[in-house]
Amino acid sequence: MVHMGSAKYTELGAFLRSRRDRIRPADVGLPAGPRRRVPGLRREEVAQLAGASVDYYNELERGAGSQPSEQMIAALARALRLTADERDYLYRLADRPVPAPGTAASHVHPGMLDLLQRMPSTPAQVITDLHVTLVQNSLAVALLGDQSGFRGPRASFVHRWFTEPEARLLYPEADHATQSRAFVADLRAAAARRDAKDIEAASLIRTLLQVSPEFAALWADHDVAFRRDDRKRIQHPALGVVEVNCLNLFSEDGRQRLLWFTPALGTDSADLLDLLAVLGTQDVVDSAT
Protein backbone atom coordinates (compact mmCIF):
# COMPACT_ATOMS: atom_id res chain seq x y z
CA MET A 1 0.00 0.00 0.00
CA VAL A 2 1.40 3.40 -1.03
CA HIS A 3 0.85 6.10 1.56
CA MET A 4 0.65 9.76 0.70
CA GLY A 5 2.76 12.41 2.34
CA SER A 6 4.50 14.53 -0.25
CA ALA A 7 3.76 18.11 -1.22
CA LYS A 8 1.77 16.78 -4.19
CA TYR A 9 -0.61 14.94 -1.91
CA THR A 10 -0.99 17.98 0.31
CA GLU A 11 -2.01 19.89 -2.79
CA LEU A 12 -4.37 17.05 -3.73
CA GLY A 13 -6.21 17.49 -0.43
CA ALA A 14 -6.37 21.26 -0.85
CA PHE A 15 -7.63 20.86 -4.41
CA LEU A 16 -10.38 18.46 -3.34
CA ARG A 17 -11.50 20.90 -0.63
CA SER A 18 -11.58 23.80 -3.10
CA ARG A 19 -13.69 21.85 -5.60
CA ARG A 20 -16.02 20.58 -2.87
CA ASP A 21 -16.61 24.10 -1.58
CA ARG A 22 -17.82 25.41 -4.93
CA ILE A 23 -20.59 22.82 -5.48
CA ARG A 24 -24.07 23.34 -4.09
CA PRO A 25 -26.01 20.22 -3.07
CA ALA A 26 -28.65 20.97 -5.70
CA ASP A 27 -25.95 20.79 -8.39
CA VAL A 28 -25.54 17.06 -7.72
CA GLY A 29 -29.13 16.20 -6.81
CA LEU A 30 -28.80 16.41 -3.03
CA PRO A 31 -31.16 18.30 -0.70
CA ALA A 32 -29.72 21.39 0.96
CA GLY A 33 -30.91 20.26 4.38
CA PRO A 34 -31.02 22.29 7.61
CA ARG A 35 -28.11 23.85 9.49
CA ARG A 36 -25.71 23.92 6.57
CA ARG A 37 -22.85 26.19 7.61
CA VAL A 38 -21.17 26.30 4.20
CA PRO A 39 -22.72 26.51 0.71
CA GLY A 40 -20.64 23.64 -0.67
CA LEU A 41 -20.83 19.90 -0.15
CA ARG A 42 -19.98 18.19 3.11
CA ARG A 43 -17.18 15.63 3.13
CA GLU A 44 -19.61 12.80 3.76
CA GLU A 45 -21.66 13.86 0.74
CA VAL A 46 -18.64 13.70 -1.56
CA ALA A 47 -17.76 10.30 -0.11
CA GLN A 48 -21.30 9.09 -0.76
CA LEU A 49 -21.29 10.35 -4.35
CA ALA A 50 -17.89 8.76 -5.04
CA GLY A 51 -18.67 5.46 -3.34
CA ALA A 52 -15.90 5.93 -0.75
CA SER A 53 -15.93 5.68 3.02
CA VAL A 54 -16.11 8.97 4.90
CA ASP A 55 -12.93 8.13 6.81
CA TYR A 56 -11.02 7.48 3.60
CA TYR A 57 -12.20 10.70 1.98
CA ASN A 58 -11.27 12.66 5.12
CA GLU A 59 -7.78 11.20 4.86
CA LEU A 60 -7.52 12.32 1.25
CA GLU A 61 -8.45 15.90 2.09
CA ARG A 62 -5.78 15.89 4.80
CA GLY A 63 -3.22 14.76 2.21
CA ALA A 64 -2.70 11.52 4.11
CA GLY A 65 -3.76 7.90 3.82
CA SER A 66 -3.16 5.54 0.91
CA GLN A 67 -2.74 6.52 -2.71
CA PRO A 68 -6.17 6.61 -4.41
CA SER A 69 -6.76 4.14 -7.23
CA GLU A 70 -7.46 5.28 -10.77
CA GLN A 71 -11.08 4.19 -10.32
CA MET A 72 -11.41 6.27 -7.14
CA ILE A 73 -9.96 9.34 -8.86
CA ALA A 74 -12.45 8.92 -11.71
CA ALA A 75 -15.29 8.61 -9.17
CA LEU A 76 -14.13 11.74 -7.32
CA ALA A 77 -13.84 13.67 -10.57
CA ARG A 78 -17.43 12.79 -11.42
CA ALA A 79 -18.72 13.50 -7.93
CA LEU A 80 -17.09 16.93 -7.94
CA ARG A 81 -18.09 17.69 -11.55
CA LEU A 82 -14.50 18.38 -12.57
CA THR A 83 -13.63 19.64 -16.03
CA ALA A 84 -11.33 17.53 -18.20
CA ASP A 85 -8.32 19.68 -17.22
CA GLU A 86 -9.19 19.47 -13.52
CA ARG A 87 -9.64 15.71 -13.77
CA ASP A 88 -6.21 15.32 -15.41
CA TYR A 89 -4.66 17.53 -12.72
CA LEU A 90 -6.16 15.29 -10.01
CA TYR A 91 -4.62 12.20 -11.59
CA ARG A 92 -1.21 13.84 -11.71
CA LEU A 93 -1.42 14.98 -8.09
CA ALA A 94 -2.15 11.36 -7.13
CA ASP A 95 0.81 10.11 -9.23
CA ARG A 96 -1.52 8.09 -11.43
CA PRO A 97 -1.43 7.97 -15.24
CA VAL A 98 -4.15 9.96 -16.95
CA PRO A 99 -6.47 7.40 -18.60
CA ALA A 100 -6.72 7.32 -22.36
CA PRO A 101 -10.01 8.56 -23.80
CA GLY A 102 -12.66 5.88 -24.11
CA THR A 103 -11.61 3.77 -21.16
CA ALA A 104 -13.92 2.98 -18.24
CA ALA A 105 -12.22 5.78 -16.26
CA SER A 106 -12.82 8.36 -19.00
CA HIS A 107 -13.83 11.86 -18.09
CA VAL A 108 -17.59 12.35 -18.29
CA HIS A 109 -18.70 15.79 -19.38
CA PRO A 110 -20.23 17.57 -16.34
CA GLY A 111 -23.23 18.56 -18.44
CA MET A 112 -24.03 14.93 -19.15
CA LEU A 113 -23.63 14.07 -15.47
CA ASP A 114 -25.99 16.90 -14.62
CA LEU A 115 -28.61 15.57 -17.03
CA LEU A 116 -28.13 12.05 -15.70
CA GLN A 117 -28.76 13.09 -12.10
CA ARG A 118 -31.88 14.99 -13.19
CA MET A 119 -33.42 11.74 -14.48
CA PRO A 120 -33.91 9.81 -11.21
CA SER A 121 -37.11 8.12 -12.39
CA THR A 122 -35.70 7.00 -15.76
CA PRO A 123 -33.02 4.36 -16.40
CA ALA A 124 -30.08 6.27 -17.89
CA GLN A 125 -26.35 5.88 -18.43
CA VAL A 126 -23.40 7.49 -20.20
CA ILE A 127 -21.38 5.34 -22.58
CA THR A 128 -18.59 5.94 -25.08
CA ASP A 129 -18.96 5.53 -28.84
CA LEU A 130 -17.32 2.10 -28.41
CA HIS A 131 -20.00 1.12 -25.87
CA VAL A 132 -17.86 1.40 -22.76
CA THR A 133 -20.18 2.24 -19.86
CA LEU A 134 -18.85 5.21 -17.86
CA VAL A 135 -21.63 5.83 -15.34
CA GLN A 136 -25.16 4.54 -14.67
CA ASN A 137 -27.95 5.73 -12.45
CA SER A 138 -29.51 3.26 -10.04
CA LEU A 139 -32.44 2.42 -12.32
CA ALA A 140 -30.10 1.64 -15.22
CA VAL A 141 -28.19 -0.75 -12.96
CA ALA A 142 -31.48 -2.34 -11.92
CA LEU A 143 -32.59 -2.72 -15.55
CA LEU A 144 -29.33 -3.68 -17.24
CA GLY A 145 -27.07 -4.84 -14.43
CA ASP A 146 -23.84 -3.07 -13.45
CA GLN A 147 -22.04 -2.52 -16.74
CA SER A 148 -19.32 -0.21 -15.41
CA GLY A 149 -16.96 -2.62 -13.67
CA PHE A 150 -15.22 -4.12 -16.72
CA ARG A 151 -11.64 -3.26 -17.69
CA GLY A 152 -9.46 -3.66 -20.75
CA PRO A 153 -11.09 -4.84 -24.00
CA ARG A 154 -13.99 -6.31 -22.00
CA ALA A 155 -15.06 -2.80 -21.00
CA SER A 156 -16.71 -2.49 -24.42
CA PHE A 157 -20.12 -4.13 -24.49
CA VAL A 158 -19.62 -4.74 -28.21
CA HIS A 159 -16.53 -6.80 -27.37
CA ARG A 160 -18.44 -8.80 -24.76
CA TRP A 161 -21.40 -9.24 -27.10
CA PHE A 162 -19.28 -11.03 -29.71
CA THR A 163 -16.98 -12.92 -27.33
CA GLU A 164 -18.98 -13.80 -24.20
CA PRO A 165 -22.28 -15.70 -24.58
CA GLU A 166 -23.55 -14.51 -21.18
CA ALA A 167 -23.57 -10.90 -22.44
CA ARG A 168 -26.41 -11.86 -24.76
CA LEU A 169 -28.70 -12.76 -21.89
CA LEU A 170 -29.64 -9.07 -21.82
CA TYR A 171 -31.79 -9.54 -24.96
CA PRO A 172 -34.21 -12.30 -26.01
CA GLU A 173 -32.54 -14.80 -28.35
CA ALA A 174 -34.90 -13.84 -31.19
CA ASP A 175 -33.38 -10.34 -31.15
CA HIS A 176 -29.70 -11.35 -31.20
CA ALA A 177 -29.20 -11.15 -34.96
CA THR A 178 -30.74 -7.67 -35.11
CA GLN A 179 -28.63 -6.46 -32.20
CA SER A 180 -25.45 -7.89 -33.73
CA ARG A 181 -26.02 -6.10 -37.02
CA ALA A 182 -26.85 -2.82 -35.26
CA PHE A 183 -23.73 -3.03 -33.07
CA VAL A 184 -21.47 -3.58 -36.10
CA ALA A 185 -23.03 -0.76 -38.13
CA ASP A 186 -22.73 1.60 -35.17
CA LEU A 187 -19.11 0.62 -34.56
CA ARG A 188 -18.22 1.28 -38.20
CA ALA A 189 -19.78 4.75 -37.96
CA ALA A 190 -17.95 5.49 -34.70
CA ALA A 191 -14.59 4.31 -36.03
CA ALA A 192 -14.94 6.47 -39.15
CA ARG A 193 -15.69 9.54 -37.04
CA ARG A 194 -12.50 9.12 -35.02
CA ASP A 195 -9.07 10.43 -36.01
CA ALA A 196 -7.23 8.28 -38.55
CA LYS A 197 -4.44 7.72 -35.99
CA ASP A 198 -6.84 6.45 -33.33
CA ILE A 199 -5.76 3.01 -32.13
CA GLU A 200 -8.55 2.21 -29.68
CA ALA A 201 -11.27 1.58 -32.25
CA ALA A 202 -8.80 -0.08 -34.63
CA SER A 203 -7.66 -2.47 -31.89
CA LEU A 204 -11.25 -3.39 -30.99
CA ILE A 205 -12.16 -4.06 -34.62
CA ARG A 206 -8.98 -6.05 -35.29
CA THR A 207 -9.57 -8.25 -32.23
CA LEU A 208 -13.20 -8.94 -33.11
CA LEU A 209 -12.30 -9.78 -36.71
CA GLN A 210 -9.87 -12.37 -35.37
CA VAL A 211 -12.02 -14.00 -32.71
CA SER A 212 -15.62 -13.70 -33.96
CA PRO A 213 -16.68 -15.16 -37.33
CA GLU A 214 -20.09 -13.56 -36.82
CA PHE A 215 -18.54 -10.13 -36.43
CA ALA A 216 -16.26 -10.67 -39.44
CA ALA A 217 -19.21 -11.66 -41.65
CA LEU A 218 -21.24 -8.62 -40.60
CA TRP A 219 -18.25 -6.29 -40.94
CA ALA A 220 -17.82 -7.44 -44.54
CA ASP A 221 -21.32 -6.13 -45.32
CA HIS A 222 -20.09 -2.54 -44.75
CA ASP A 223 -23.33 -1.41 -43.09
CA VAL A 224 -22.96 1.92 -41.30
CA ALA A 225 -25.48 3.64 -39.00
CA PHE A 226 -25.28 5.40 -35.65
CA ARG A 227 -27.75 4.07 -33.08
CA ARG A 228 -29.67 7.28 -32.40
CA ASP A 229 -32.83 5.61 -31.15
CA ASP A 230 -34.01 2.05 -30.84
CA ARG A 231 -36.95 0.05 -29.65
CA LYS A 232 -35.49 -2.74 -27.55
CA ARG A 233 -36.67 -5.73 -25.59
CA ILE A 234 -34.66 -6.12 -22.38
CA GLN A 235 -34.65 -9.57 -20.79
CA HIS A 236 -34.77 -8.78 -17.08
CA PRO A 237 -34.02 -11.67 -14.67
CA ALA A 238 -36.98 -10.86 -12.39
CA LEU A 239 -39.48 -8.98 -14.54
CA GLY A 240 -39.17 -10.84 -17.82
CA VAL A 241 -39.17 -8.92 -21.10
CA VAL A 242 -39.34 -5.14 -20.74
CA GLU A 243 -39.92 -3.32 -24.03
CA VAL A 244 -38.38 0.16 -24.08
CA ASN A 245 -37.42 3.01 -26.32
CA CYS A 246 -33.67 3.71 -26.10
CA LEU A 247 -32.85 7.35 -26.85
CA ASN A 248 -29.40 8.90 -27.30
CA LEU A 249 -27.91 12.34 -26.73
CA PHE A 250 -24.45 12.69 -28.30
CA SER A 251 -21.59 14.86 -27.07
CA GLU A 252 -20.21 17.40 -29.53
CA ASP A 253 -17.32 15.15 -30.57
CA GLY A 254 -19.50 12.05 -30.72
CA ARG A 255 -17.30 10.19 -28.23
CA GLN A 256 -19.92 9.96 -25.48
CA ARG A 257 -23.66 9.32 -25.39
CA LEU A 258 -26.30 9.76 -22.75
CA LEU A 259 -28.74 6.86 -23.12
CA TRP A 260 -32.12 6.78 -21.44
CA PHE A 261 -34.90 4.24 -21.57
CA THR A 262 -38.61 5.00 -21.72
CA PRO A 263 -41.51 2.52 -21.79
CA ALA A 264 -42.66 1.53 -25.26
CA LEU A 265 -46.21 2.58 -26.06
CA GLY A 266 -48.77 -0.19 -26.23
CA THR A 267 -46.93 -2.40 -23.75
CA ASP A 268 -46.98 -2.95 -19.99
CA SER A 269 -43.43 -1.62 -19.70
CA ALA A 270 -44.48 1.52 -17.81
CA ASP A 271 -45.81 -0.66 -15.00
CA LEU A 272 -42.71 -2.85 -15.12
CA LEU A 273 -40.38 0.15 -14.87
CA ASP A 274 -42.41 1.43 -11.93
CA LEU A 275 -41.97 -1.96 -10.30
CA LEU A 276 -38.28 -1.85 -11.10
CA ALA A 277 -37.97 1.39 -9.15
CA VAL A 278 -39.50 -0.37 -6.15
CA LEU A 279 -37.37 -3.49 -6.47
CA GLY A 280 -34.13 -1.61 -7.10
CA THR A 281 -30.95 -3.58 -7.69
CA GLN A 282 -31.58 -6.15 -4.95
CA ASP A 283 -33.75 -8.32 -7.16
CA VAL A 284 -31.11 -8.26 -9.88
CA VAL A 285 -28.52 -9.51 -7.41
CA ASP A 286 -30.83 -12.16 -5.99
CA SER A 287 -31.78 -13.44 -9.44
CA ALA A 288 -28.17 -13.64 -10.60
CA THR A 289 -27.02 -15.75 -7.65
Side-chain angles (χ1 to χ4, degrees), residues 143-163:
L143 178 65
L144 307 171
D146 187 352
Q147 303 286 324
S148 62
F150 298 95
R151 297 292 179 265
R154 297 184 66 235
S156 167
F157 186 75
V158 176
H159 182 280
R160 301 198 303 278
W161 179 262
F162 287 102
T163 62

Side-chain angles (χ1 to χ4, degrees), residues 24-174:
R24 298 172 302 169
D27 294 334
V28 292
L30 294 175
R35 299 181 181 178
R36 184 174 290 272
R37 292 178 295 177
V38 294
L41 296 179
R42 299 186 177 103
R43 292 184 182 89
E44 57 267 26
E45 291 170 333
V46 176
Q48 174 190 344
L49 291 169
S53 73
V54 177
D55 288 343
Y56 179 70
Y57 182 75
N58 287 339
E59 290 287 303
L60 287 180
E61 281 209 0
R62 292 209 306 268
S66 59
Q67 182 185 28
S69 67
E70 294 174 37
Q71 292 78 16
M72 178 53 62
I73 299 169
L76 288 169
R78 293 165 187 170
L80 294 169
R81 301 299 192 263
L82 300 187
T83 66
D85 290 338
E86 290 171 334
R87 190 284 309 254
D88 292 354
Y89 181 61
L90 190 61
Y91 271 92
R92 294 187 176 104
L93 289 177
D95 285 330
R96 294 290 190 183
V98 176
T103 65
S106 289
H107 174 71
V108 182
H109 192 285
M112 282 198 169
L113 280 176
D114 181 60
L115 284 173
L116 185 69
Q117 68 99 67
R118 293 177 186 276
M119 304 171 75
S121 61
T122 301
Q125 60 187 17
V126 178
I127 69 170
T128 73
D129 56 342
L130 301 185
H131 293 261
V132 175
T133 300
L134 302 179
V135 61
Q136 299 173 281
N137 67 12
S138 60
L139 277 182
V141 174
L143 178 65
L144 307 171
D146 187 352
Q147 303 286 324
S148 62
F150 298 95
R151 297 292 179 265
R154 297 184 66 235
S156 167
F157 186 75
V158 176
H159 182 280
R160 301 198 303 278
W161 179 262
F162 287 102
T163 62
E164 302 178 20
E166 57 270 23
R168 301 197 172 201
L169 297 176
L170 187 61
Y171 298 106
E173 186 174 357

Side-chain angles (χ1 to χ4, degrees), residues 221-252:
D221 288 340
H222 293 271
D223 290 341
V224 54
F226 278 118
R227 300 188 78 162
R228 291 182 173 85
D229 57 79
D230 277 318
R231 183 157 171 161
K232 295 185 176 184
R233 297 195 301 161
I234 305 296
Q235 183 72 54
H236 189 272
L239 302 180
V241 175
V242 183
E243 195 160 353
V244 295
N245 299 308
C246 178
L247 306 172
N248 293 256
L249 175 66
F250 289 74
S251 62
E252 289 185 7

Side-chain angles (χ1 to χ4, degrees), residues 236-239 281-289:
H236 189 272
L239 302 180
T281 59
Q282 183 59 46
D283 217 67
V284 176
V285 174
D286 291 344
S287 299
T289 56

